[in-house]
Amino acid sequence: MSERILDIQNLSVTFGGLHALKDLNFHVDEGEIVGVIGPNGAGKTTFFNMISGMVTPTSGDILFEGESLIGLDPNQVTQRGISRTFQNVRLFANMTILENVMVSQHCRTKQGVWGALFNTPAFKKEEAEIRAHAEKVLGFFGTRLIGYRLEQPASVLSYANRRRLEIARAMATSPRLLLLDEPVAGMNPKESAELTGLIGKLRSEWGFTIVMIEHDMNVVRDVSDRVVCLDHGETLAQGSFDEVSNDPEVIEAYLGRPLEKQK
Amino acid sequence: MSDINANVLATEAAETIEDLAESASGLFNDVDRDRVVRYGSYLAMALVFVSLVGMAVGLDGRQILFWINPDVYVNHPDGQGLSLGDVALWMWPLLLGWAATNEVVLEGMQARVRGVSDLVTGFLVGALGGLGISFLTFLMSVDREINPENGVPAYGARDPLVNWNEQLYIMLTFNRGWTFALWAWPLLAGLLAMVGASFRVMSDPIRKAITAALISVLSVSVFQFLVDDLLEGVGETIADPGRISNFFESDPSLGRPRVDSAFDPLIDFLYAKTGGLRLEGVILVAVVAAALSLVASYLVRGRVKQARQAYFDRPLAERTRSSALLMVGVALALLIVPFFTGSIINELLANVGIFLLLALGLNIVVGLAGILDLGYVAFFAVGGYTTAVLTSAGRGESWPSWVPLLVDEGEPVVGGWLIALVLVMVFAGLTGLLIGAPVIRMRGDYLAIVTLGFGEIIRLLFLSDWLKGYFGGAQGITNIEGADFGPIGTVTGVEPRSVFYLVAVFAAIAIYVSWRLERSRLGRAWMAIREDESVAEAMGINTVNMKLMAFVVGAVLASFAGAIFSAKVGSIFPTSFLILVSIIILVVVIVGGMGNIMGVIAGSLVLIGVLGGPKQPGLLQEFSEYKLLIYGVLLVWMMLQRPEGLVPNVRRSRELHQEEFLQDAWLKGEVDTDDEGDDVATEVAPA
């Protein structure tokens, strides 16, 4: 078994009296693609928010490469090497496509006021590197986000391209672990099939470990090594796609309980 | 015989009347009654408000143009022309008559043919509005009581309404009693509003020519002082070119023998001795402006649009370069202006410069990083007081001797101000950190309120008795030395031209700083924070540090303005740093165009230059009493009609007009639609 990149131990969070997550135990190995599924309100996005530092857990621990992430700000988590996309696409809509990807390299670069004011060689070099990296990342999606599109504001993009740009923006932070929140939501079957292929490439070509929340079972089946099913903040099942999809509890959570069993 | 005739006549008359009534009702059917009532009431409210606020009477003293020349008829019994007060009233019917006939033409729809019904609408709106004044004068006449002993009229309602007085009554009734006003105002306002509405009916070139003539006459007359001053300065230089050589030595407006200007005849032709455009001047200016506009519309027609399109088709880098060139050109032109203007205009330009510097700093904080700082004046105060403490012999006695005093036996030390400036930067930066550190974690409205509080705290500290030994309390610090730069000269308030050039240097620095920072890693981070702070944080931006950095950069720029301010004025008091200053700088940034350097420059020229700063007079000194009123109205109007400001930042206006922008992009074919896989690979840029 390869090295554990993310290890979540007894993680719980309560909002008021509501248990959004209850005693979650979960781990991701280096180079794995893990799919997180579950009905609406199961706590999947809260789970992501907690890893990326936007929500502080009530108890439990999150270990990333052996170090705890508890108490870190979101930007520090990103600095450590975890990056994410958002379920309801949250691009910087009025910045250009290039700028969206350039700005997310912020934590990997360091030029400050001085360099900017005097346009020092180091500043120019870094700007050129940022731009080159941005274009490389955008080039991952073919011709869709490059060329004349670079200088266009993100708001003119189609829905599918916005999703792609969000992934590009997350990729540009040079993470080790990528959290994708419903990457193919709203895409047509052809587009989601294409993106499924790209998610595979994210691992094979870019070396990212990926955790993905997804409702589209075809995508989950095609790409995940392992699947976790959450419901009401609890883990219902873990394992391969076939195991999880045939688990009676999972089926029950999605489809409801047969009438005769309800007593 | 006569009976039959009378009968025929009667029937004919009746028929004519019927016809007339029919055509009239036809006309009135085209008029949108709701609209007339709505705009008419707006007009009535505006007119009554302007009268009661005192603007009409208050500005009546400033004659701006004559139609009966005062040098021909001395003390003509009727009004000799237009005063600024008249304009304050008359502009409303014109504007609302024009606004009432506005019609939104949707894409692909045939615009209605403009015609008589528009004029009727205009007239009705005006007449309804004019009734507002008729009613006001009627009320006044009811309240008016003439004291039988001395014949002086008195008003009962004078107590709550300060401007409810005889002067207003005389002005509104044209000194002919309220019965005259009763029909004269609806008629006058109606005609004016009809003129306003007629702008919709005219053909394009004619409308442009008339507008050009109107605006030119108004600006040449209202800005008489500036035109006069400039013409005189340029004229004197033409008449005596030797003047140029001793420009740096002393202000030509002080104690210099007056040379006859080459433009003196023109000035005498245009303006009356008592101020105001003479009739011949009005005609000259109007004809020249209209002619120029007509020539422009026939020669240039369509070419401006073409040139504009050609310009926008150029690559971005080229456009940036040409706009940089333009900016340098404008800056050079601005640098030459003070050579030709007298000290009052130069003083005004220096004030504009100080506020420009402040506005540029605030623009980084609010415009780039999106931090709404309402206590910005605090850093201006820190800059001013630090300079004062270091360069004034009159500073408080409690300072220990090791705090340097850069004054040498009542004379400023050469370069002392620059040394002080370094310390000013340090202190302003520290204050920025100190205030910023606890505040910056907040967002939006909470942050605005807390900065507001800190701004006041700083001022109250300078005012307090507790620190009186240091900062002089309410007495402030006086005897601040000017900035002595040795051989180059000394900058003091006595020579506004020198202040202007010092300010220009620092404004150039501030512009450079904003321009560089905006296009750097920091600028991108600020933009991201402005767009969505949580996402920016999730993308690895340390939002607290970045916001703090914007806060400190803004603080340092404001402290420069403070340092120049105290060298210029020579004494500072806590009352120079009221919260009003923060608000006015913010208004300058908002009205000019948030996030855009050109916008900020335009905003400070228009607001500070024309209307004046919180205590500094502008070009329209008569308006100083109503300055805040106008600021407020302007701000509300801008927020409703053009929230992106006078010279908008492209990105900012995109944010504010997202829907329109997307519609435009869609029409141009720039919005991409959800694609169908493979065919996208061959997609090329739209031509």
Side-chain angles (χ1 to χ4, degrees):
Chain A
M1 197 177 86
S2 52
E3 187 198 345
R4 282 195 175 180
I5 189 167
L6 186 73
D7 198 354
I8 287 166
Q9 298 164 350
N10 304 322
L11 197 68
S12 298
V13 68
T14 44
F15 298 127
L18 178 80
H19 284 277
L21 283 179
K22 222 187 283 173
D23 276 335
L24 185 71
N25 281 297
F26 179 74
H27 69 93
V28 181
D29 291 336
E30 175 98 51
E32 240 185 341
I33 298 182
V34 178
V36 178
I37 60 170
N40 289 329
K44 305 182 296 291
T45 297
T46 308
F47 171 61
F48 267 23
N49 284 345
M50 221 154 359
I51 301 175
S52 56
M54 298 172 103
V55 172
T56 315
T58 322
S59 66
D61 204 358
I62 306 171
L63 297 177
F64 178 66
E65 296 177 325
E67 286 174 59
S68 173
L69 295 180
I70 304 294
L72 291 187
D73 287 336
N75 62 299
Q76 290 167 314
V77 173
T78 311
Q79 173 103 37
R80 291 276 179 93
I82 299 180
S83 189
R84 68 170 293 183
T85 67
F86 295 88
Q87 182 182 359
N88 46 345
V89 184
R90 286 170 81 178
L91 290 168
F92 303 122
N94 298 295
M95 294 172 76
T96 65
I97 288 160
L98 184 64
E99 281 170 338
N100 262 284
V101 183
M102 283 170 89
V103 78
S104 66
Q105 296 171 50
H106 189 88
C107 63
R108 303 284 172 233
T109 48
K110 58 179 184 302
Q111 286 292 321
V113 176
W114 188 266
L117 287 190
F118 298 101
N119 205 6
T120 57
F123 175 81
K124 282 191 215 163
K125 184 164 166 276
E126 196 185 85
E127 283 290 295
E129 283 169 6
I130 292 175
R131 197 186 158 112
H133 186 62
E135 288 183 8
K136 185 181 160 210
V137 167
L138 288 170
F140 179 68
F141 297 95
T143 53
R144 287 201 174 86
L145 298 176
I146 55 176
Y148 72 98
R149 288 240 177 264
L150 286 178
E151 301 295 338
Q152 283 190 332
S155 56
V156 306
L157 287 179
S158 71
Y159 192 73
N161 273 344
R162 287 184 205 192
R163 287 240 172 256
R164 296 188 182 106
L165 181 55
E166 260 223 332
I167 297 175
R169 187 177 67 179
M171 286 162 69
T173 64
S174 311
R176 311 242 299 112
L177 176 66
L178 200 53
L179 309 176
L180 303 178
D181 201 342
E182 300 199 18
V184 304
M187 288 189 179
N188 63 34
K190 201 167 181 180
E191 287 165 339
S192 47
E194 185 198 320
L195 196 70
T196 314
L198 287 180
I199 292 173
K201 277 194 186 169
L202 280 176
R203 171 170 62 177
S204 57
E205 289 178 9
W206 292 72
F208 299 137
T209 305
I210 296 167
V211 180
M212 173 180 74
I213 294 175
E214 188 49 66
H215 280 301
D216 186 331
M217 288 309 155
N218 293 328
V219 177
V220 177
R221 182 191 60 218
D222 290 348
V223 84
S224 343
D225 301 325
R226 202 149 54 79
V227 176
V228 181
C229 180
L230 299 182
D231 190 28
H232 298 296
E234 288 176 274
T235 325
L236 286 188
Q238 293 201 34
S240 72
F241 180 77
D242 289 332
E243 283 167 34
V244 173
S245 59
N246 292 320
D247 187 296
E249 275 197 79
V250 173
I251 295 169
E252 195 180 297
Y254 270 91
L255 299 178
R257 192 169 297 192
L259 209 60
E260 64 271 23
K261 274 194 180 176
Q262 276 189 354
K263 296 284 150 61
Chain B
M1 260 315 255
S2 62
D3 279 2
I4 301 166
N5 258 341
N7 267 337
V8 172
L9 276 178
T11 25
E12 269 180 11
E15 273 170 14
T16 328
I17 289 172
E18 252 170 49
D19 281 356
L20 272 178
E22 222 167 80
S23 59
S25 74
L27 261 183
F28 282 100
N29 280 341
D30 281 347
V31 172
D32 182 346
R33 289 193 191 78
D34 289 350
R35 192 173 258 246
V36 167
V37 170
R38 192 165 79 238
Y39 280 89
S41 340
Y42 289 161
L43 179 56
M45 279 190 270
L47 289 174
V48 170
F49 182 74
V50 167
S51 308
L52 287 183
V53 144
M55 258 171 123
V57 169
L59 300 177
D60 202 29
R62 164 86 189 273
Q63 197 73 16
I64 63 164
L65 57 84
F66 292 96
W67 38 66
I68 297 165
N69 281 333
D71 33 356
V72 183
Y73 299 98
V74 184
N75 292 329
H76 196 273
D78 276 317
Q80 295 179 322
L82 273 185
S83 73
L84 214 48
D86 292 327
V87 173
L89 284 174
W90 292 26
M91 61 184 261
W92 295 109
L94 268 174
L95 284 177
L96 284 170
W98 183 72
T101 45
N102 184 30
E103 224 167 68
V104 182
V105 181
L106 295 174
E107 191 93 15
M109 275 184 57
Q110 187 73 41
R112 188 176 58 83
V113 178
R114 301 298 193 149
V116 188
S117 73
D118 288 297
L119 297 184
V120 175
T121 307
F123 184 82
L124 290 179
V125 166
L128 197 57
L131 277 177
I133 293 229
S134 308
F135 188 59
L136 181 72
T137 49
F138 167 70
L139 283 184
M140 287 183 85
S141 75
V142 172
D143 191 35
R144 187 168 182 256
E145 262 178 54
I146 297 182
N147 187 330
E149 281 170 27
N150 50 18
V152 178
Y155 290 87
R158 177 74 198 274
D159 195 15
L161 293 167
V162 190
N163 296 301
W164 183 272
N165 55 23
E166 184 67 10
Q167 277 161 302
L168 180 65
Y169 186 70
I170 288 177
M171 183 175 177
L172 293 185
T173 57
F174 306 96
N175 205 8
R176 283 184 173 88
W178 72 273
T179 42
F180 179 74
L182 191 65
W183 61 268
W185 265 106
L187 188 65
L188 175 65
L191 288 176
L192 283 169
M194 198 160 88
V195 171
S198 71
F199 277 69
R200 304 273 183 200
V201 185
M202 292 174 200
S203 73
D204 226 32
I206 293 184
R207 186 182 60 234
K208 277 183 187 153
I210 293 181
T211 318
L214 257 179
I215 291 179
S216 311
V217 169
L218 256 185
S219 38
V220 170
S221 52
V222 172
F223 299 123
Q224 178 185 357
F225 190 76
L226 178 71
V227 178
D228 211 15
D229 206 50
L230 262 176
L231 280 181
E232 215 161 89
V234 177
E236 284 179 12
T237 317
I238 293 173
D240 176 21
R243 258 169 102 250
I244 291 276
S245 62
N246 52 6
F247 258 131
F248 280 114
E249 280 158 30
S250 73
D251 195 321
S253 57
L254 299 170
R256 182 180 42 82
R258 231 196 86 94
V259 192
D260 276 340
S261 151
F263 288 126
D264 273 353
L266 177 63
I267 296 175
D268 288 342
F269 181 78
L270 284 179
Y271 296 114
K273 293 260 179 323
T274 46
L277 266 181
R278 295 169 69 243
L279 181 60
E280 289 88 341
V282 175
I283 295 170
L284 178 72
V285 173
V287 167
V288 168
L292 282 180
S293 153
L294 278 177
V295 168
S297 20
Y298 283 108
L299 286 186
V300 184
R301 201 197 322 206
R303 270 178 226 167
V304 175
K305 217 173 186 180
Q306 264 176 21
R308 220 179 122 83
Q309 195 51 46
Y311 174 75
F312 279 108
D313 287 343
R314 296 285 164 107
L316 189 71
E318 210 168 305
R319 267 185 288 160
T320 325
R321 210 176 317 135
S322 53
S323 51
L325 267 179
L326 182 74
M327 223 167 146
V328 170
V330 172
L332 283 182
L334 258 179
L335 284 184
I336 299 173
V337 168
F339 278 100
F340 301 113
T341 45
S343 57
I344 298 183
I345 296 284
N346 285 344
E347 164 88 22
L348 212 131
L349 283 173
N351 286 335
V352 170
I354 289 180
F355 277 88
L356 171 62
L357 197 48
L358 286 167
L360 283 168
L362 188 65
N363 182 46
I364 292 185
V365 183
V366 183
L368 289 188
I371 306 165
L372 186 53
D373 182 356
L374 293 182
Y376 194 61
V377 70
F379 307 118
F380 184 43
V382 167
Y385 268 97
T386 313
T387 317
V389 164
L390 293 170
T391 60
S392 163
R395 69 182 189 187
E397 292 94 41
S398 311
W399 290 101
S401 54
W402 53 265
V403 175
L405 182 59
L406 303 161
V407 181
D408 190 18
E409 315 224 331
E411 287 290 311
V413 180
V414 175
W417 186 81
L418 282 179
I419 301 171
L421 192 69
V422 175
L423 290 169
V424 164
M425 278 174 71
V426 172
F427 278 112
L430 283 178
T431 320
L433 277 179
L434 212 69
I435 295 181
V439 161
I440 218 79
R441 280 163 208 281
M442 286 172 228
R443 292 181 188 185
D445 311 352
Y446 305 100
L447 195 143
I449 294 298
V450 177
T451 50
L452 187 80
F454 271 107
E456 278 296 275
I457 289 173
I458 297 275
R459 181 178 70 83
L460 291 174
L461 281 180
F462 287 130
L463 179 66
S464 66
D465 280 343
W466 175 49
L467 294 174
K468 194 169 184 188
Y470 295 96
F471 300 117
Q475 277 83 47
I477 300 179
T478 50
N479 292 327
I480 303 167
E481 301 294 344
D484 193 342
F485 294 102
I488 307 173
T490 309
V491 174
T492 58
V494 191
E495 281 180 43
R497 180 173 296 137
S498 62
V499 180
F500 172 78
Y501 285 113
L502 184 65
V503 163
V505 169
F506 280 91
I509 294 177
I511 290 173
Y512 178 77
V513 168
S514 335
W515 176 69
R516 287 297 316 169
L517 289 182
E518 197 183 337
R519 279 155 191 76
S520 74
R521 168 176 171 263
L522 300 177
R524 282 193 298 269
W526 287 335
M527 264 185 279
I529 291 172
R530 198 182 64 204
E531 295 251 329
D532 192 331
E533 198 165 335
S534 335
V535 176
E537 202 176 9
M539 287 300 125
I541 295 166
N542 187 335
T543 50
V544 173
N545 280 2
M546 282 296 120
K547 283 164 79 180
L548 204 54
M549 198 174 278
F551 210 65
V552 170
V553 171
V556 170
L557 288 182
S559 72
F560 287 163
I564 297 172
F565 178 78
S566 67
K568 169 179 176 278
V569 180
S571 52
I572 54 176
F573 312 98
T575 50
S576 312
F577 306 108
L578 294 178
I579 195 163
L580 189 61
V581 181
S582 297
I583 290 167
I584 283 186
I585 304 166
L586 189 65
V587 175
V588 167
V589 174
I590 292 172
V591 169
M594 218 185 264
N596 190 359
I597 295 168
M598 277 316 229
V600 174
I601 296 174
S604 40
L605 275 175
V606 170
L607 290 182
I608 309 296
V610 177
L611 287 174
K615 285 189 173 174
Q616 295 77 5
L619 214 47
L620 294 177
Q621 297 186 11
E622 294 82 8
F623 279 94
S624 55
E625 248 180 274
Y626 315 106
K627 198 154 51 189
L628 294 182
L629 178 69
I630 297 173
Y631 267 109
V633 170
L634 198 62
L635 190 63
V636 171
W637 185 78
M638 288 295 282
M639 285 297 101
L640 291 175
Q641 293 296 324
R642 205 178 155 85
E644 66 270 34
L646 290 174
V647 188
N649 176 330
V650 184
R651 207 184 299 272
R652 186 99 197 156
S653 63
R654 221 187 274 149
E655 276 169 40
L656 291 161
H657 299 283
Q658 183 92 102
E659 264 170 43
E660 288 101 312
F661 168 74
L662 283 178
Q663 273 169 15
D664 286 352
W666 180 75
L667 284 173
K668 280 190 271 173
E670 278 173 8
V671 171
D672 66 347
T673 41
D674 280 331
D675 40 59
E676 281 294 330
D678 301 337
D679 50 311
V680 206
T682 55
E683 190 182 358
V684 283

